[in-house]
Amino acid sequence: MSASAPGEVTGRPDAPRTAREMLGLARSFLERKGLGDSRRDADLLVASALGLDRLGLYMRLDQPLLGGEVDRARDLLVRRGRREPTAYIVGRREFFGRDFLVGPGVLVPRPETELIVDRAREIFQASRLGAGSEEGSGDVLDEPTRRVLDIGTGSGCLAVTLALELPGSVEVHGIDLSEDALTWARKNAAALGAGVTFHQGDGLRVAAALAAQDGPFDLVVSNPPYVEPEEREGLSPEVREHEPPLALYAPAGDPDFWIRSLAELRPVLLKPGGAMLIELGHLQGPRAAALAGPSGTVHADLAEIPRVLELS
């Protein structure tokens, strides 16, 4: 944001006097930068600069701004203009209706990953109904605690959400190789009041060890790395330059490594009647279906992209 460009957010006499004026300048600035959802990003950044959420921002649009608030908003917008992810700048991203803390070292939760939660809830609810509960009634007589495992937990968005959303009694575990990611996952579990046990290490090895130690799982979920390294330049700068490569890239020349490896581990990880849900890249659907064979089902997301492979 250069000092001479018209309409920039600066300390000049024509600087914005209200949140409404700041919001207008912020949206214009991000639009000129050619950023995707400039309206949403401007809302989040200005709200963050004022110490508010989006609703709070809209409630004080015509209140005067303080000089420090203008400066904070300008600094956040400059960072966004340099293609730093908005989630990293404001320190959070919404997932399944909850705010998750995020920052450098952890993958930003994506809305398409919510399909795993939707499908997991359907699976657990159907199994409870089959066990004799009435829909919406709550308890099943002597219902056992069901075990859930999230491989490659990252921010913990899946593990934490499943701990809070799945019906009945659940015991949830999350695994990640990155200690940085697990730092964020533990913060999110504590902030949201979710009972999740996190483990650091190689996902496949730790998963097998947990199953051998305490028994297999009713549900295994994973949003594994599936971007081919040679596709790196096709990613947005926000992803390519900021998000952790460990969470993004599949092994070179083997984009389906995680699908194949998790499918092979099913007999070890899953209880009889259990399910495994794996997020797919936008081109993986047909290959995933072929790898899974008749035991697999591919679910499409809201954009009709094959997004989640279900194995049983």
Side-chain angles (χ1 to χ4, degrees), residues 217-274:
F217 294 87
D218 298 274
L219 175 69
V220 175
V221 301
S222 183
N223 178 15
Y226 48 67
V227 178
E228 297 190 59
E230 55 267 32
E231 295 178 347
R232 180 180 186 277
E233 294 306 313
L235 300 175
S236 69
E238 289 86 345
V239 176
R240 183 178 65 243
E241 298 172 11
H242 293 277
E243 296 196 69
L246 185 66
L248 291 172
Y249 301 113
D254 192 3
D256 301 326
F257 168 82
W258 282 99
I259 299 173
R260 187 176 63 256
S261 298
L262 288 166
E264 290 172 352
L265 209 54
R266 271 181 299 171
V268 173
L269 297 185
L270 289 183
K271 291 180 181 179

Side-chain angles (χ1 to χ4, degrees), residues 100 106 148-163 171-201 206 210 221:
F100 280 78
V106 72
V148 177
L149 177 64
D150 177 17
I151 300 176
T153 195
S155 67
C157 64
L158 276 175
V160 169
T161 302
L162 292 172
E171 173 191 322
V172 182
H173 296 260
I175 307 170
D176 208 287
L177 184 60
S178 168
E179 190 57 50
D180 287 341
L182 287 174
T183 297
W184 291 105
R186 293 185 182 106
K187 288 180 180 178
N188 284 316
L192 294 169
V196 181
T197 302
F198 293 106
H199 311 266
Q200 192 276 328
V206 175
L210 289 174
V221 301

